[in-house]
Amino acid sequence: MNEAATAEAATSTARRIAVIGAGPGGLYFAALAKQLAPDRELTVFERDARDDEFGFGVVFSDETLDGIARADPRVFAAISAEFARWSDIDIRYAGEVRTSGGHGFAALDRNRLRAILQQRCAELAVDVRYRTPAPPVDRLAAEYDLVVAADGIRSGTRATHPESFRPELDERHCRYMWLATDKVFEAFTFIVEQYDFGVLQVHAYPYSATRSTFIVEAAADAWRRAGFEALAAREPARGESDLASVRRCAELLAGHLDGHRLIPNASRWIRFTTVRNASWRHRNVVLLGDAAHSAHFSIGSGTKLALEDALALAAALSEQPTLEEALAAYEAERRPVVESTQRAAQASLEWFETIGRRAGQGADQFAFNLLTRSRRVTYGSLRARDPAFVDAVDTAFGGSPGTPPMFRPLRLGALELRNRVVVPPLATFTSPDALPSGFDRAQLTGHALGGAGLVLAGMTAVSPEGRATDRCPGLWTDHQEAAWRQLRDAVRAVSDTPLGIQLTHAGRRGASTAPGPDGIGRPLADGWPLIAPSAIPWDADSPVPHEANDIQSAAVTADFAAAAERAARAGFDVLELQFGHGHLLSSFLSPLTNHRTDHYGGPLAHRLRLPLEVLTAVRAVWPAGRPLLVRISASDWAPGGTTEEEAVAICRALAAAGADALDVSTGEVVAHQRPPYGRGYQTPFAELVRTATGLPTVAVGAISGYDDADSVLLAGRADLVAVGRAHLYDPLWTLHAAAERGHTGPGARWPEPWRAGSRKPPGPNADRVAPRLHLLREPPAPVHRRWSPPPPEE
Ligand SMILES: Cc1cc2nc3c(=O)[nH]c(=O)nc-3n(C[C@H](O)[C@H](O)[C@H](O)COP(=O)(O)OP(=O)(O)OC[C@H]3O[C@@H](n4cnc5c(N)ncnc54)[C@H](O)[C@@H]3O)c2cc1C
Ligand SMILES: Cc1cc2nc3c(=O)[nH]c(=O)nc-3n(C[C@H](O)[C@H](O)[C@H](O)COP(=O)(O)O)c2cc1C
């Protein structure tokens, strides 16, 4: 589209636009929308005065800056001139400082940003009305073609039409306070200080020649114990600061302020609220910036998201033929970006909420853990930015630099695993006769050759009625035992990779068909009677199980022990018991599925009874030295389900009863679960369990990239990583992870007959050599850049 056509489309979609709120989002949108179609009428309503100062510094990443640079070079030039720029992150922890370089930050005073945007709006003749609360939104909606609600995190617009926006406000328990200081930090600085009351953490960064932002944060219990609750007892009026708390923070953190002040500005303790809306639109009203979504300050500022929204909305109004399509396009473009940012922000805020868990870590590992907390920054990206930092952490982890963490050995019981990768149980559903199938043999052989340190066979039932489906194998007859022994021998003939087997009784999840293309099984038409702790079916279509009586429970224990003996005789090196995923023993553990009132139900000690009886019986027959793993569901992802405290108590009990390691999964306990699927979403539970029990843990779930695996291990979140579906995509996943990085150590041993293929084949463009395209190449940016303000002008 040429310029005239663009302007025409723009004004036909929305000629008269009202904007509620002259924050960064509202102002930037107004400027861009006017710039794209100058004959448009834009009116911005702002309840505060033009010069009301609020907030401190704003940080941007290089990515956002690119967007701003192209959308409005004048705004970009004006803000660039004021940037504080640096590339280092300092982590001050336990009296030590670790520095990671190569990150690329730019920050400026939030009030200067607003002033620059105000100036731009004035140049473009945008009508900004200060000290003017917006008229009711429905009136605006009737008078204007479009209403842009950029009215901030407490958006009144959102509250006026909850039926359309369907907001979800998640208020977190940590308390934090925005402050500034006249100490000019040289880098983004995380301060983590341990006091007798708990941990205080500070997120600080420079934003001018004279100021830094200084956000103090504490978990709710530490905050109370520190006495802040009492200090903040009198709610400060709007615009006032909680000066008593500010003074106390200055005292506590004096060692980091070097005699400088903390400077409040309407500063008081607040709790972060994550805002989500099911829709950002109500007829011709659209939400933008904090009104639509918020993301915890620890991963970057809300200002960045608000500016990006403004850019996308202004563009959509020009690019789309109708207002309705423009608003739909805006939301379609922004929602995935925002949701991805919110996932990272959620991981980051939960990391800070549970910071006490990492109290035992050394400074190097702690720094690495902190930097990789949101899962956006990884082992690989940190190495690319600052190899020396990652080498130091690698060395502290006990490895030699250059050996990726996943290729370090691990001793489990008497078994030496050559690396940290596990192929978790992956049932094949190919056993109509309950015997391990040809496909099981092929799959396990493939995975054993594929390089993982440990391979586990899929769920194998301890009794006929314990099968999940009519195509699952079992281990309750001599015939089955012999078939498994044959399979084990066949795998051993070609690979020395340790092989384990998972034993289960499916309980109420039994008697189903094998999963269809949607991954879900259906109840068998001619299934077998099911047992469970309580008569609660899996879902509305499932048969109602019988409440197990004491005789049946005792039989379950005996069946597990007998199957474990058979597994040992069949030659398995590792045994895993399935106490998760809603199978029988998982159902006993969860309060959602165990409603019994006898000695197997009620308090956790009772709910643990049968699982512990099974584990104890298995431990007694399973050979000492051969690792015994237990898989659990550490969360049910449903209200009223297993809590974190209970998950810890369960794992401590399993450790005491003889488990050698815990395979920490979640969910599949009830059909109405709502897991927050996403990369590595179960990993925090592995870290929780590892810290609480001291037992090795296996992290599992959407750890598909080797970079994620390395990050999990080096951060100390788990001792092993299980990679499931990615091994179905590529059975040689582990060896390929080595080849990709040119790693050839003992943790990545290629099968001898395949040695010729141990290097990644050249790609289609491998023989194309790029010519020089620059006369003079720019020198690479230095890894470490610190903020040093320019000397004041004479
Ligand atoms: C105390 C505090 C300090 C912060 N400091 C920083 C910081 O230093 N750096 C940073 O990056 N982020 C900071 N943030 C977050 C940041 O303010 C937001 O993420 C960002 O400003 C979002 O921009 P926005 O335009 O969507 O909303 P906002 O900046 O919140 O702007 C909303 C505007 O709408 C106005 N408004 C609301 N209702 C009406 C109405 N009915 N009529 C007229 N006007 C109305 C408000 O007065 C406000 O000016 C801070 C947040 C808080 C609460
Ligand atoms: C085809 C398939 C079969 C599975 N079979 C089992 C099983 O038998 N027992 C079990 O505990 N988990 C089983 N799982 C779950 C995996 O072990 C693993 O926990 C899950 O796939 C998440 O890891 P991923 O994201 O790396 O795939 C299965 C998963 C898939 C995809």
Side-chain angles (χ1 to χ4, degrees):
M1 249 194 280
N2 63 31
E3 253 174 50
T6 309
E8 193 182 309
T11 40
S12 67
T13 52
R15 221 191 72 72
R16 301 186 67 238
I17 303 177
V19 179
I20 308 178
L27 287 175
Y28 194 48
F29 166 76
L32 291 177
K34 185 80 176 168
Q35 188 184 301
L36 284 170
D39 64 337
R40 215 177 228 159
E41 231 181 80
L42 265 145
T43 312
V44 182
F45 298 91
E46 171 56 54
R47 63 184 175 197
D48 287 342
R50 185 188 166 101
D51 300 326
D52 276 358
E53 298 222 325
F54 190 54
F56 307 100
V58 185
V59 200
F60 294 109
S61 68
D62 294 340
E63 197 186 39
T64 313
L65 289 180
D66 278 355
I68 299 173
R70 264 178 268 129
D72 189 337
R74 291 179 63 167
V75 166
F76 182 69
I79 62 174
S80 303
E82 306 208 11
F83 276 146
R85 283 183 178 274
W86 72 94
S87 71
D88 278 358
I89 300 178
D90 287 351
I91 294 129
R92 302 185 180 189
Y93 165 77
E96 299 188 50
V97 183
R98 293 292 180 274
T99 297
S100 160
H103 297 276
F105 290 104
L108 87 161
D109 184 334
R110 183 170 184 271
N111 296 308
R112 287 295 306 139
L113 171 67
R114 230 158 55 111
I116 289 165
L117 294 172
Q118 285 171 344
Q119 168 70 25
R120 187 70 183 129
C121 282
E123 282 165 19
L124 291 162
V126 173
D127 176 10
V128 187
R129 302 180 189 170
Y130 293 99
R131 291 188 194 280
T132 312
V137 64
D138 288 338
R139 212 170 88 202
L140 284 178
E143 285 174 19
Y144 288 82
D145 298 331
L146 169 65
V147 180
V148 177
D151 50 352
I153 198 150
R154 287 191 188 78
S155 168
T157 311
R158 195 177 59 217
T160 311
H161 287 293
E163 74 294 350
S164 295
F165 300 122
R166 282 165 286 141
E168 187 197 307
L169 306 182
D170 178 13
E171 191 177 40
R172 309 301 301 189
H173 73 76
C174 275
R175 302 298 199 286
Y176 73 101
M177 190 186 304
W178 288 89
L179 294 158
T181 170
D182 53 359
K183 173 175 168 64
V184 182
F185 285 90
E186 292 179 3
F188 205 115
T189 305
F190 289 103
I191 301 168
V192 179
E193 274 295 347
Q194 180 80 48
Y195 301 89
D196 51 358
F197 57 78
V199 173
L200 270 192
Q201 62 236 21
V202 174
H203 312 237
Y205 55 87
Y207 66 83
S208 74
T210 55
R211 290 282 188 280
S212 300
T213 292
F214 197 88
I215 307 165
V216 186
E217 190 184 28
D221 47 352
W223 179 79
R224 254 177 236 115
R225 283 196 298 266
F228 286 122
E229 190 176 25
L231 293 179
R234 189 183 68 81
E235 176 76 1
R238 190 167 191 257
E240 248 181 49
S241 295
D242 170 4
L243 293 176
S245 289
V246 177
R247 275 193 296 274
R248 179 93 176 107
C249 286
E251 279 160 24
L252 287 165
L253 295 159
H256 298 281
L257 289 167
D258 305 327
H260 290 273
R261 292 177 298 144
L262 286 184
I263 305 167
N265 179 346
S267 305
R268 82 259 321 258
W269 293 110
I270 39 184
R271 290 164 65 180
F272 186 80
T273 303
T274 301
V275 173
R276 298 180 178 90
N277 286 277
S279 164
W280 298 353
R281 290 170 283 152
H282 167 78
R283 301 201 186 111
N284 62 339
V285 180
V286 66
L287 303 178
L288 182 150
D290 273 11
H293 46 70
S294 63
H296 194 245
F297 54 82
S298 57
I299 66 150
S301 65
T303 310
K304 159 191 143 75
L305 287 179
L307 294 183
E308 289 171 352
D309 280 0
L311 212 146
L313 179 59
L317 290 174
S318 288
E319 286 165 359
Q320 300 297 326
T322 65
L323 179 63
E324 206 183 320
E325 283 165 286
L327 299 189
Y330 156 69
E331 185 167 343
E333 181 181 327
R334 289 298 296 158
R335 185 174 278 284
V337 178
V338 165
E339 286 178 352
S340 149
T341 307
Q342 286 186 318
R343 275 195 299 276
Q346 186 69 17
S348 179
L349 76 82
E350 287 177 11
W351 193 93
F352 281 108
E353 284 175 352
T354 57
I355 198 161
R357 263 179 218 168
R358 290 122 207 146
Q361 292 197 320
D364 290 292
Q365 193 168 48
F366 182 87
F368 182 85
N369 199 332
L370 187 150
L371 291 169
T372 54
R373 70 195 179 281
S374 76
R375 302 177 201 133
R376 282 203 162 172
V377 175
T378 59
Y379 178 82
S381 64
L382 283 176
R383 181 170 275 294
R385 291 173 200 185
D386 183 353
F389 170 78
V390 178
D391 279 351
V393 187
D394 261 338
T395 309
F397 184 61
S400 50
T403 299
M406 60 186 266
F407 293 113
R408 313 271 167 77
L410 180 77
R411 198 170 184 80
L412 260 191
L415 194 63
E416 179 85 9
L417 304 181
R418 78 170 80 94
N419 63 44
R420 307 293 186 107
V421 183
V422 177
V423 180
L426 294 165
T428 62
F429 307 104
T430 49
S431 304
D433 50 4
L435 292 168
S437 68
F439 199 90
D440 285 321
R441 180 190 288 212
Q443 176 169 304
L444 293 169
T445 308
H447 286 149
L449 290 170
L454 171 64
V455 176
L456 298 176
M459 55 182 168
T460 301
V462 298
S463 59
E465 48 313 324
R467 278 175 304 157
T469 76
D470 58 351
R471 297 171 73 80
C472 284
L475 191 42
W476 65 84
T477 67
D478 292 345
H479 192 34
Q480 289 163 338
E481 182 185 319
W484 279 113
R485 192 170 48 246
Q486 262 182 14
L487 182 153
R488 177 66 192 105
D489 291 345
V491 176
R492 187 167 286 138
V494 295
S495 164
D496 61 359
T497 303
L499 199 62
I501 187 167
Q502 186 190 55
L503 295 181
T504 196
H505 187 301
R508 68 203 265 276
R509 300 209 62 191
S512 146
T513 64
D518 57 359
I520 299 170
R522 316 271 168 222
L524 285 169
D526 52 351
W528 49 90
L530 303 180
I531 58 164
S534 304
I536 304 170
W538 167 251
D539 64 14
D541 299 330
S542 303
V544 180
H546 300 284
E547 186 174 305
N549 59 33
D550 282 1
I551 298 168
Q552 287 166 319
S553 301
V556 167
T557 305
D559 289 342
F560 265 96
E565 283 185 288
R566 289 183 187 282
R569 286 196 296 265
F572 284 101
D573 310 281
V574 172
L575 190 67
E576 177 170 283
L577 303 179
Q578 172 61 299
F579 285 10
H581 296 176
H583 284 220
L584 182 67
L585 296 159
S586 161
S587 302
F588 270 87
L589 290 171
S590 170
L592 294 176
T593 47
N594 182 344
H595 292 177
R596 297 170 79 105
T597 51
D598 66 356
H599 52 286
Y600 283 124
L604 181 59
H606 288 192
R607 303 201 308 270
L608 261 164
R609 190 183 301 258
L610 186 62
L612 289 182
E613 285 171 2
V614 167
L615 175 56
T616 307
V618 168
R619 183 75 273 183
V621 297
W622 180 248
R626 287 199 221 176
L628 176 52
L629 273 61
V630 181
R631 175 168 265 203
I632 59 147
S633 286
S635 168
D636 300 340
W637 301 122
T642 300
T643 62
E644 277 191 8
E645 293 72 30
E646 286 178 327
V648 164
I650 290 167
C651 290
R652 287 200 175 122
L654 298 174
D660 293 312
L662 297 163
D663 180 356
V664 188
S665 187
T666 67
E668 293 190 54
V669 174
V670 288
H672 62 276
Q673 65 172 2
R674 284 185 62 203
Y677 294 119
R679 265 173 60 229
Y681 72 105
Q682 299 180 150
T683 304
F685 294 95
E687 186 177 26
L688 168 74
V689 166
R690 184 174 191 261
T691 319
T693 62
L695 273 197
T697 56
V698 185
V700 63
I703 305 173
S704 44
Y706 56 76
D707 201 13
D708 286 348
D710 284 331
S711 305
V712 167
L713 294 165
L714 196 58
R717 296 187 186 112
D719 302 271
L720 290 159
V721 288
V723 175
R725 284 161 296 175
H727 268 113
L728 298 180
Y729 176 73
D730 173 10
L732 270 62
W733 185 89
T734 308
L735 290 177
H736 288 163
E740 284 282 340
R741 287 178 285 183
H743 178 72
T744 56
R749 237 187 22 245
W750 280 75
E752 202 43 49
W754 290 354
R755 181 152 297 284
S758 64
R759 281 213 209 108
K760 189 173 158 59
N765 290 325
D767 57 354
R768 230 182 82 187
V769 181
R772 167 192 278 263
L773 295 173
H774 301 279
L775 181 57
L776 290 177
R777 290 200 181 97
E778 289 201 2
V783 172
H784 295 290
R785 250 172 80 192
R786 303 185 71 83
W787 169 237
S788 61
E793 280 170 29
E794 292 295 306

